[in-house]
């Protein structure tokens, strides 16, 4: 998604509206104290049917509601309500390609309150085209950041709050300064946590390991999908446990999972090649299984996909 991408429309205040009309006042809770929670969801384009299929819509809306609950952002969102907006948006925008959807709840008013009567919740949802990143094929170079991932006792990573991304921004900036694609953050205990947008997996001697959800990570939905596919298509039971930093340097393969980066191979950590320095065989097999499932369209066997209501006609 390019910074320059500005769709013509956005879902805002209960309807599809021109992009320029979606504004908040500078003196609002979201601007002053980052009172906002969000999701990142994907719609996969199905050319045979000229419609999108939305991936894990239920899980994303559930996580959004759970995030809002922890930080007390009152809302009456439902899966049906979110999907109604998504459907109207893809029809209005007419994108005949994969899209990224970012439902966001925020507080306009209501300083530190839990009282729905004196708080004012806003909801917006842009939909962007998402061309496939080249690093999904070539792999990413990562560094281990000197910044630690915030913890469950500070700014809980399980909550997908905009405020958490300040912590992740510092790590991203460090990666950029080091000439790397991405940064892995360690948690307060010095164990591997996650990147700013993905869960981390390691392969060594045919065993697959990933930090447990209690290791200061977002409970990534793609992580769950990867665990499911590894179990069902490769007979591998992923170990969810604390992961040491040095395990990154000794791994045969490292890969990342996230809605945007999908299954992305890591080819170096701190400039040390992972395995042979090119994407590993298990990572590639998992990518194939993941894309087949995401692009199954009407043939979805896993219950991952929800079809868009309307077809998007060619212009
Ligand atoms: N960690 C962080 C901090 C993220 O922002 C994301 C992207 N939502 C992920 C992990 C991956 O989560 P998911 O697979 O649910 O997209």
């Amino acid at each position: 998604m390019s910074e320059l991408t500005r769709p013509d429309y956005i879902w805002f205040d209960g309807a599809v509206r021109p992009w320029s009309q979606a504004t908040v006042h500078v003196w609002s809770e979201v601007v002053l104290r980052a009172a906002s929670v969000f999701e990142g969801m994907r719609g996969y384009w199905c050319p045979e049917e000229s419609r999108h299929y939305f991936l894990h819509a239920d899980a994303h809306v559930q996580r959004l509601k759970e995030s809002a609950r922890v930080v007390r952002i009152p809302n009456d969102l439902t899966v049906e309500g979110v999907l109604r907006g998504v459907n109207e948006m893809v029809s209005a925008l007419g994108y005949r390609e994969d899209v990224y959807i970012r439902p966001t709840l925020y507080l306009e008013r209501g300083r530190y309150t839990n009282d729905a009567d004196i708080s004012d919740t806003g909801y917006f949802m842009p939909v962007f085209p998402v061309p496939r990143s080249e690093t999904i094929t070539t792999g990413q170079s990562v560094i281990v950041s000197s910044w630690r991932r915030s913890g469950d006792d500070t700014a809980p990573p399980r909550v997908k709050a905009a405020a958490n991304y300040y912590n992740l921004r510092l790590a991203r900036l460090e990666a950029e300064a080091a000439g790397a694609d991405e940064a892995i953050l360690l948690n307060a205990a010095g164990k591997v946590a996650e990147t700013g947008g993905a869960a981390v997996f390691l392969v060594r001697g045919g065993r697959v390991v990933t930090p447990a959800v209690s290791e200061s990570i977002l409970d990534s939905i793609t992580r769950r999908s990867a665990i499911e596919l590894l179990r069902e298509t490769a007979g591998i039971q992923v170990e969810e446990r604390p992961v040491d930093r040095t395990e990154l340097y000794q791994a045969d393969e490292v890969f990342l999972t996230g809605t945007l980066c999908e299954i992305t191979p890591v080819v170096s950590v701190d400039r040390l090649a992972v395995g042979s320095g090119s994407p590993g065989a298990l990572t590639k097999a998992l990518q194939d299984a993941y894309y087949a499932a995401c692009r199954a369209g009407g043939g979805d066997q896993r219950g991952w996909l929800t079809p868009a209501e309307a077809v998007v006609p060619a212009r």
Side-chain angles (χ1 to χ4, degrees):
M1 190 187 347
S2 144
E3 275 304 304
L4 299 175
T5 309
R6 287 284 177 266
D8 292 341
Y9 301 104
I10 183 168
W11 183 268
F12 181 69
D13 204 12
V16 175
R17 300 189 193 275
W19 182 269
S20 59
Q21 284 182 15
T23 57
V24 291
H25 199 276
V26 289
W27 198 258
S28 58
E29 267 311 280
V30 59
V31 177
L32 296 173
R33 280 167 285 272
S36 127
V37 293
F38 67 100
E39 272 305 315
M41 206 167 96
R42 256 183 191 267
Y44 284 90
W45 177 244
C46 176
E48 297 80 21
E49 294 181 34
S50 285
R51 77 171 83 230
H52 294 91
Y53 274 81
F54 307 114
L55 179 66
H56 295 311
D58 290 15
H60 282 285
V61 176
Q62 189 188 347
R63 192 170 66 186
L64 183 63
K65 301 233 4 139
E66 286 170 358
S67 294
R69 182 180 157 79
V70 179
V71 292
R72 272 54 160 199
I73 298 184
N75 69 90
D76 53 8
L77 279 192
T78 58
V79 177
E80 297 70 37
V82 171
L83 283 175
R84 183 172 66 83
V86 173
N87 275 303
E88 287 193 31
M89 283 296 292
V90 290
S91 293
L93 289 164
Y95 295 133
R96 290 170 54 87
E97 60 191 302
D98 295 348
V99 291
Y100 180 69
I101 303 149
R102 193 185 189 280
T104 308
L105 281 163
Y106 65 94
L107 276 187
E108 186 111 42
R109 270 187 330 127
R111 185 166 196 241
Y112 300 139
T113 187
N114 192 19
D115 184 345
D117 292 338
I118 52 169
S119 53
D120 219 343
T121 300
Y123 176 68
F124 69 85
M125 184 177 60
V127 175
F128 298 97
V130 267
R132 201 145 183 247
S133 162
E134 196 184 295
T135 58
I136 287 180
T137 314
T138 56
Q140 290 193 342
S141 61
V142 307
I143 57 161
V144 175
S145 175
S146 61
W147 296 100
R148 294 291 171 98
R149 185 70 176 104
S150 65
D152 197 58
D153 54 351
T154 53
R158 233 189 229 93
V159 178
K160 198 163 165 58
N164 283 0
Y165 288 76
Y166 167 61
N167 175 219
L168 301 169
R169 177 174 165 81
L170 293 170
R172 274 267 168 87
L173 292 172
E174 191 178 9
E176 195 177 295
D181 296 313
E182 189 49 280
I184 291 176
L185 292 93
L186 306 179
N187 62 23
K191 304 292 183 184
V192 174
E194 61 178 348
T195 76
V200 180
F201 284 71
L202 281 68
V203 184
R204 192 172 183 209
R207 294 168 72 168
V208 183
V209 179
T210 193
V213 285
S214 50
E215 290 296 303
S216 300
I217 65 168
L218 181 73
D219 185 355
S220 150
I221 294 164
T222 321
R223 173 185 177 281
R224 292 180 217 159
S225 298
I227 291 172
E228 175 184 326
L229 289 174
L230 286 165
R231 186 181 59 240
E232 292 179 11
T233 66
I236 294 171
Q237 191 65 44
V238 175
E239 293 170 38
E240 299 174 66
R241 60 163 173 81
V243 175
D244 283 331
R245 175 179 186 163
T246 47
E247 291 184 78
L248 292 169
Y249 307 128
Q250 295 181 338
D252 304 323
E253 300 181 34
V254 177
F255 61 87
L256 308 175
T257 70
T259 298
L260 258 188
C261 73
E262 303 179 300
I263 309 287
T264 288
V266 171
V267 289
S268 72
V269 180
D270 290 333
R271 299 196 181 277
L272 191 62
V274 174
S276 63
S278 47
L282 188 66
T283 305
K284 286 202 250 178
L286 178 62
Q287 281 184 324
D288 290 345
Y290 184 74
Y291 297 126
C294 294
R295 298 203 178 279
D300 173 32
Q301 300 281 313
R302 303 191 164 273
W304 287 8
L305 302 173
T306 307
E309 276 165 15
V311 300
V312 182
R315 295 194 171 188

